[in-house]
Amino acid sequence: MSPSPMRFLLLALPAVAWGGMFHVVARVLPVIDPYWLTLLRYMPTALVLFALWRWREPVAPPVGRRAWRDALIAGAIGFGFFNFALYTGLTLTTPEHGAIAMAMTPLLGAALSWIIDRRPPPAATIVCIGLAVSGAILVVTSRPSEAAASGGLIGDGLALIGATAWAFYLRTARWFPGWSSLRFSAWTTAGGTLAIAAGCLLLAPAGLARPPDCSALAGLEAELAYLVLVGTLLALLLWNRGIALVGPVDGALFMNLVPVSAFVIGVGLGHTPNAAELAGAALVLAALIGNNLAQRRPPALPD
C-alpha cells in the first residue's frame, strides 16, 4: 500500500535534506575541519533530543550502566566514526559521490547481516548488492585523471566506510528492546557526542582537530543552521517517525532520493555529470529499488 501524503513527506523531506547537506558541508569544510564540524553539528542536536525525550517520556525507567555503555558504543560508531569518515572523504571527493555512498546503506546493511549473523540474504538481494557495487565503481572511476590528481578515490573510499558505519549503527537498535525511537535517538546521540568530543581532543595534538576561529565563521550562519536544524535534528525526527509508520522496507526506498537530490542540486550549482556518473548512479538506484521490491514479495508457499 502506498504511503499517505503525510507519510510520504515524513520520509521524502529528510532524504532531500540529506542530499542537499552534502553540498552545504562542502562549503563549510574549508573553514571548519571535519571533526569540529561533527561536534558543532551534534552537540546541540543531542541537547534538544534529550530534552524532547524527557518531555515526551517523563516517567521512563532509568537507563542502566550496560545500556549507557551500549548507547556510547552505538553513538560513537553511528555519529562519530560515520561523520569523521564521511566528512574527511568529502574534503577529497564530490558531494554527488558521497551521496551515492550513503544511498547504498540498505544494501550495506544486508551485507553486514550476511557477514556478522552468517545469514545470507535472498538471491535477489545478492544480485542487487553486486549491481550497486558495480554502479558505485562506475561513479567513482568516471573521472580517473581528476580522481587520481585530487585524491578522489580515497575520498570515495572514506565515504563508503562512513556509510558502512551508519549501516552498522542502524543494526544497534536491537540492542535496546522496548525503547522508543526517540529514546534510542536521544541516548545514542548523547553517547556519540561524548565520543566525538573525545575524538577531537585526541586529534588536537596532531593538529588535525582545531577549534574554529569565530571570525572565520562569519557568513556561514545559514550553512551551520541548515546542518544542525534541518540536516540533523529535523531530518532525524521526521525520518524516525516516518519509519515507525511505514516500516523499514518501505522507508528504505526513500534513500533513493538522497543521490537524486544531490545530483539535481549539483547540476544547479554548475556540476555537469558525465555519462559514466549518470550510468553508475542509475545502477545504484535500480539496485536499491529492485531490492526493496523483492523484499515486498510474499514468501513462497511450501509444496
Side-chain angles (χ1 to χ4, degrees), residues 243-280:
I243 291 294
L245 290 174
V246 308
V249 174
D250 287 337
L253 189 61
F254 286 83
M255 287 299 294
N256 302 325
L257 292 175
V258 176
V260 171
S261 59
F263 267 86
V264 170
I265 294 171
V267 170
L269 294 175
H271 174 76
T272 303
N274 59 30
E277 283 180 309
L278 293 175

Side-chain angles (χ1 to χ4, degrees), residues 62 76 106 124 160 174 191 195 244 297:
L160 191 59
R174 69 183 67 179
R297 292 178 181 173

Side-chain angles (χ1 to χ4, degrees), residues 2-31:
S2 61
S4 67
M6 180 56 68
R7 295 181 181 185
F8 176 87
L9 289 175
L10 285 173
L11 292 166
L13 290 177
V16 173
W18 288 330
M21 186 183 67
F22 287 93
H23 295 279
V24 176
V25 167
R27 295 188 60 178
V28 175
L29 283 175
V31 178

Side-chain angles (χ1 to χ4, degrees), residues 86-148:
L86 178 63
Y87 286 175
T88 303
L90 286 176
T91 64
L92 301 172
T93 190
T94 66
E96 294 83 6
H97 289 196
I100 285 289
M102 281 307 302
M104 292 178 62
T105 298
L107 294 178
L108 289 171
L112 285 175
S113 295
W114 191 358
I115 295 170
I116 297 173
D117 301 331
R118 305 294 178 89
R119 188 178 60 202
T125 297
I126 296 176
V127 172
C128 289
I129 290 173
L131 284 176
V133 171
S134 300
I137 291 174
L138 192 58
V139 168
V140 302
T141 59
S142 59
R143 304 171 189 261
S145 58
E146 180 181 324

